């Protein structure tokens, strides 16, 4: 796969891992370490642990609209995603929605770096637009 294809696959996989964790209220440390590193890993772990403590499950659904910018040296990339967020809180037992769809457009930059094995999200920054 191309570098851009690898970055895209890693980015989408990071969302899958996150979505599974907040839906099922379980933190799979190994899965998180496969797709996140650095500040992003700390951020996501902290969020999921807080959700576990508070029993705040979510159903994650997004409409992605991203561009991928690979650094000239090919060792890092940015995924700039102007996505529509449809994530809602759900009852952890019944999985029924507890709130209306926010239908909120967000602009977020996801920084990815390649380690010896794979691309990982290392930094997440909401962009004020």
């Amino acid at each position: 796969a191309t570098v851009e294809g690898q970055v895209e696959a890693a980015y989408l996989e990071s969302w899958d891992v996150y979505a599974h964790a907040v839906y099922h209220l379980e933190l799979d440390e190994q899965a998180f370490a496969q797709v996140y590193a650095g500040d992003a890993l700390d951020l996501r772990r902290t969020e999921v642990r807080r959700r576990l403590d508070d029993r705040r499950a979510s159903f994650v659904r997004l409409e992605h609209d991203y561009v991928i910018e690979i650094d000239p040296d090919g060792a890092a990339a940015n995924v700039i995603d102007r996505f529509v967020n449809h994530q809602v809180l759900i009852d952890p037992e019944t999985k029924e929605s507890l709130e209306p769809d926010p239908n909120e457009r967000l602009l977020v930059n996801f920084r990815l770096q390649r380690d010896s094995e794979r691309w990982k999200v290392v930094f997440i920054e909401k962009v004020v637009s």
Side-chain angles (χ1 to χ4, degrees):
T2 66
V3 171
E4 187 172 279
Q6 293 171 12
V7 168
E8 180 178 35
Y11 172 66
L12 295 174
E13 182 181 5
S14 75
W15 274 111
D16 290 344
V17 168
Y18 170 77
H20 184 272
V22 298
Y23 185 83
H24 295 286
L25 289 178
E26 58 188 35
L27 177 57
D28 181 338
E29 291 283 354
Q30 185 176 357
F32 268 64
Q34 288 288 311
V35 296
Y36 296 106
D39 289 343
L41 180 57
D42 294 340
L43 177 76
R44 288 298 202 217
R45 273 185 183 148
T46 299
E47 178 189 351
V48 172
R49 285 182 181 137
R50 194 173 309 122
R51 286 173 171 273
L52 288 166
D53 291 344
D54 298 341
R55 301 284 301 148
R56 289 174 39 98
S58 286
F59 175 69
V60 176
R61 188 171 68 84
L62 307 171
E63 293 175 46
H64 292 286
D65 180 16
Y66 53 82
V67 293
I68 298 171
E69 298 174 350
I70 309 295
D71 286 8
D73 65 4
N78 289 309
V79 177
I80 299 122
D81 198 348
R82 183 181 302 275
F83 60 88
V84 179
N85 177 28
H86 300 287
Q87 180 173 245
V88 293
L89 291 174
I90 58 172
D91 180 283
E93 310 307 323
T94 67
K95 305 301 185 192
E96 303 242 349
S97 178
L98 299 176
E99 64 182 354
D101 180 340
N103 197 35
E104 170 187 36
R105 185 167 293 279
L106 299 172
L107 178 60
V108 182
N109 180 43
F110 297 84
R111 180 82 173 157
L112 286 86
Q113 287 183 328
R114 182 160 178 77
D115 67 13
S116 60
E117 298 174 18
R118 59 187 297 145
W119 288 92
K120 295 180 180 181
V121 177
V122 296
F123 188 73
I124 303 168
E125 179 182 31
K126 185 175 178 180
V127 178
V128 179
S129 56

